[in-house]
Amino acid sequence: MQQNKFMKKAAVYCILFVVIAMSVMLYYSANKIVVVADVAQDEVIRSAQEEQESTLTAVVDENHITIDQDRQNTNYFCIPMPGVVKAEEVTLENHYMDQELWVNIQGKNMKDYDTFYEENAVYGNSQNVVDGHFEVENNRIYLRFSLTGVYEYRSIFEEQTLYVEFVPSKEVYEKVIVIDPAYGAGVSGVIQDGIAAKDITLDIAKALKARFDETDIKVYYTRMDDSNPAPENRVKLAAATKADMLIRLEVSGDENSKIYGTEAVYNSRYFIPGFGSVELADILEREVVTAISGKANGLVEAADTDEVISAATVPAAALKVGYLTNAQESILLQREDYINRIAEGIYNAVMKAYEGEV
């Protein structure tokens, strides 16, 4: 008898769910509103050929997009789309390190619309937009907008117009951190037997991404390729996102090849009660040393010459994961399982910090 009642209730809930779902689908279908896909800078993947062919590596004065300042009676930044473009052909790319929004429009014969954005201005709420440029590459149009800061986006596609709302990171995510793999490009860091520190820090960042992508923590990465953002831009990312913490990844080196171990550098200039730079450095070192069964060398104050940690305005620490100049640690730092253990230690430190277990 009780089982029959349960089955009847389940059937009623199922019917209600279907009715609500169908109503939502019909509403969006009738109003032709579609949410547009968006990706973060650390998820943007292009082929080597696309990167080589792209002329968007530097903003140019030509192909300027006009912003109609007279049409601002909306909360959205409004971008008109060529008539043939479908919502699934549009992707928002959040290039947060450059404080830019890229709109990628990919479809057939996009080159036929090479003058579309010369003839059609963007409009609406443009207070967060500095300027815009476009580029047409075969079957793709790129719109590149320079912004006043780092934002997340809410967007819809309706009646051949893309509506974008700029939202501060902390209004979207409760937990925000910045991971800063040191070095990059022409700055290799310590090099030993052809192994560069810049590659090790990047490998750790990628291992961290695989873990944090499964959580509710929003992570911004200062680099996920062989680039070298300026120190002030690395610091600016943490400030712009109001990050809860900035974790820099470094590799040590010394003339004395017998020195080995893990240490953490903290920002002694920036102090807040409870959880600050010292506490962050301490928990990072403890958790990583535990994860790798390594040696702790202790905490060190950041020098004035440290342009990232000493300038940060959020709890900040640099984790020096080991000495590349030590033969044994050099071998370990080249092993994937060891990199994963370092990443696991950092991950555990962050999770414990949020759980108040510092």
Side-chain angles (χ1 to χ4, degrees):
M1 186 75 175
Q2 190 154 354
Q3 186 176 5
N4 288 338
K5 288 183 178 180
F6 175 79
M7 291 179 67
K8 287 180 180 179
K9 284 184 178 180
V12 170
Y13 285 134
C14 287
I15 293 170
L16 284 173
F17 175 80
V18 171
V19 169
I20 293 170
M22 288 298 293
S23 299
V24 171
M25 289 174 63
L26 288 171
Y27 172 81
Y28 277 102
S29 175
N31 289 275
K32 298 180 182 179
I33 297 176
V34 181
V35 177
V36 175
D38 63 276
V39 296
Q41 182 168 336
D42 49 87
E43 298 172 333
V44 176
I45 300 175
R46 294 196 180 88
S47 68
Q49 182 179 356
E50 286 177 328
E51 290 289 353
Q52 187 175 7
E53 291 176 351
S54 177
T55 57
L56 281 171
T57 52
V59 175
V60 291
D61 290 333
E62 59 266 26
N63 297 343
H64 187 268
I65 300 174
T66 301
I67 301 176
D68 188 346
Q69 301 290 350
D70 295 329
R71 300 173 64 188
Q72 295 187 340
N73 57 340
T74 175
N75 291 327
Y76 288 94
F77 180 57
C78 307
I79 307 171
M81 292 282 147
V84 297
V85 173
K86 301 176 182 177
E88 58 268 25
E89 296 172 329
V90 180
T91 305
L92 301 185
E93 297 181 5
N94 187 351
H95 290 252
Y96 50 76
M97 272 305 292
D98 304 311
Q99 296 190 358
E100 291 181 347
L101 165 64
W102 290 23
V103 181
N104 178 5
I105 309 168
Q106 186 167 9
K108 293 181 179 179
N109 302 319
M110 284 296 100
K111 60 184 178 181
D112 295 340
Y113 296 88
D114 56 345
T115 62
F116 182 84
Y117 289 100
E118 291 178 358
E119 302 162 356
N120 294 271
V122 297
Y123 60 95
N125 187 351
S126 59
Q127 64 180 1
N128 299 312
V129 181
V130 178
D131 59 25
H133 297 79
F134 72 91
E135 193 67 41
V136 182
E137 301 173 356
N138 297 323
N139 292 324
R140 179 178 293 157
I141 298 177
Y142 274 118
L143 310 180
R144 178 174 175 174
F145 298 99
S146 298
L147 308 178
T148 58
V150 177
Y151 302 97
E152 294 298 319
Y153 310 110
R154 297 190 183 110
S155 63
I156 56 175
F157 187 100
E158 181 183 19
E159 296 180 351
Q160 294 311 119
T161 302
L162 176 64
Y163 297 90
V164 181
E165 181 182 11
F166 299 97
V167 188
S169 304
K170 274 293 190 176
E171 289 188 16
V172 180
Y173 304 102
E174 182 181 354
K175 303 171 183 176
V176 176
I177 70 174
V178 170
I179 299 294
D180 178 29
Y183 328 116
V187 179
S188 299
V190 181
I191 299 178
Q192 188 71 21
D193 299 326
I195 306 302
K198 68 175 184 177
D199 298 323
I200 294 170
T201 60
L202 187 58
D203 287 343
I204 297 170
K206 291 178 178 178
L208 283 170
K209 179 172 170 56
R211 288 162 172 76
F212 283 119
D213 280 355
E214 302 299 319
T215 71
D216 62 345
I217 300 172
K218 174 61 180 178
V219 184
Y220 293 93
Y221 300 86
T222 59
R223 72 180 185 99
M224 288 300 275
D225 55 19
D226 190 23
S227 59
N228 183 25
E232 59 268 23
N233 290 339
R234 298 175 191 248
V235 173
K236 187 188 296 183
L237 178 62
T241 57
K242 293 182 171 59
D244 300 314
M245 62 191 85
L246 165 63
I247 300 173
R248 183 169 169 86
L249 308 173
E250 296 183 357
V251 179
S252 301
D254 196 278
E255 293 180 359
N256 185 349
S257 61
K258 293 182 180 180
I259 296 178
Y260 69 98
T262 303
E263 56 234 24
V265 180
Y266 64 93
N267 182 355
S268 59
R269 298 180 178 180
Y270 182 81
F271 172 80
I272 57 173
F275 182 78
S277 297
V278 177
E279 289 79 11
L280 174 60
D282 182 56
I283 195 171
L284 281 170
E285 185 189 46
R286 283 192 284 114
E287 290 300 322
V288 170
V289 167
T290 299
I292 63 177
S293 301
K295 173 191 172 188
N297 290 340
L299 310 184
V300 181
E301 288 188 21
D304 292 340
T305 54
D306 188 328
E307 297 180 275
V308 175
I309 298 304
S310 63
T313 55
V314 302
L319 182 72
K320 295 178 176 287
V321 298
Y323 282 76
L324 200 53
T325 47
N326 179 274
Q328 185 177 356
E329 262 187 344
S330 177
I331 293 171
L332 290 172
L333 289 168
Q334 297 174 58
R335 285 172 41 178
E336 183 179 355
D337 64 323
Y338 194 75
I339 293 295
N340 282 324
R341 284 160 61 189
I342 292 173
E344 190 66 22
I346 296 171
Y347 172 85
N348 290 339
V350 172
M351 299 308 288
K352 287 186 176 182
Y354 277 123
E355 291 165 5
E357 298 181 19
V358 180

